Amino acid sequence: MKEELAIENVKNQILDSAIDVFCKYGYSKVSMDDIAKAWGKSRTTLYYYYKNKLEIFEALALKGYNDMISHAAAGTSAAYNLEKNLQELLFNLFFVYFNFLRTFYLF
């Protein structure tokens, strides 16, 4: 269990480094070497955790999706009716989306 948490922590560090590189240069121009340099480790070490750039990108997309769903669902409640829960869910989804745009695209 402790080792799994350590691996997950390292993978999150890699994803944090990768998102900066992808946002700066775009997916097609980024290499595994670029991500490794941004992370501060060797490319060989990076390959231990992820087999290729696409796997890293997919992990980023899944992480972003999970973060967005978690944030959006945080506003719902068993005490609310369906309409109120949908309003809260949509509001939170738009909030996360526009916050993302502002953060990465200077919207």
Side-chain angles (χ1 to χ4, degrees):
M1 184 70 168
K2 188 175 181 181
E3 186 176 320
E4 290 174 9
L5 289 175
I7 290 172
E8 194 64 31
N9 185 37
V10 170
K11 284 187 163 190
N12 283 328
Q13 290 173 6
I14 293 168
L15 295 180
D16 289 343
S17 299
I19 196 164
D20 293 338
V21 178
F22 283 131
C23 287
K24 186 173 183 178
Y25 300 110
Y27 178 83
S28 62
K29 293 183 181 176
V30 171
S31 67
M32 289 293 275
D33 194 49
D34 296 327
I35 296 169
K37 285 178 184 174
W39 179 41
K41 306 287 184 193
S42 72
R43 189 175 61 200
T44 305
T45 304
L46 179 60
Y47 277 109
Y48 176 80
Y49 295 99
Y50 291 100
K51 65 182 178 181
N52 56 38
K53 176 175 75 168
L54 179 60
E55 188 175 50
I56 293 172
F57 192 79
E58 288 172 343
L60 277 171
L62 183 60
K63 184 177 186 294
Y65 170 80
N66 287 334
D67 289 349
M68 185 172 65
I69 294 300
S70 294
H71 183 78
T76 62
S77 168
Y80 294 160
N81 64 24
L82 178 62
E83 183 179 0
K84 178 67 175 167
N85 274 327
L86 285 173
Q87 287 173 347
E88 289 295 320
L89 182 66
L90 288 173
F91 172 80
N92 288 334
L93 282 173
F94 283 118
F95 176 81
V96 170
Y97 177 71
F98 286 115
N99 193 38
F100 171 82
L101 289 177
R102 186 182 55 194
T103 300
F104 293 105
Y105 297 105
L106 302 175
F107 180 66

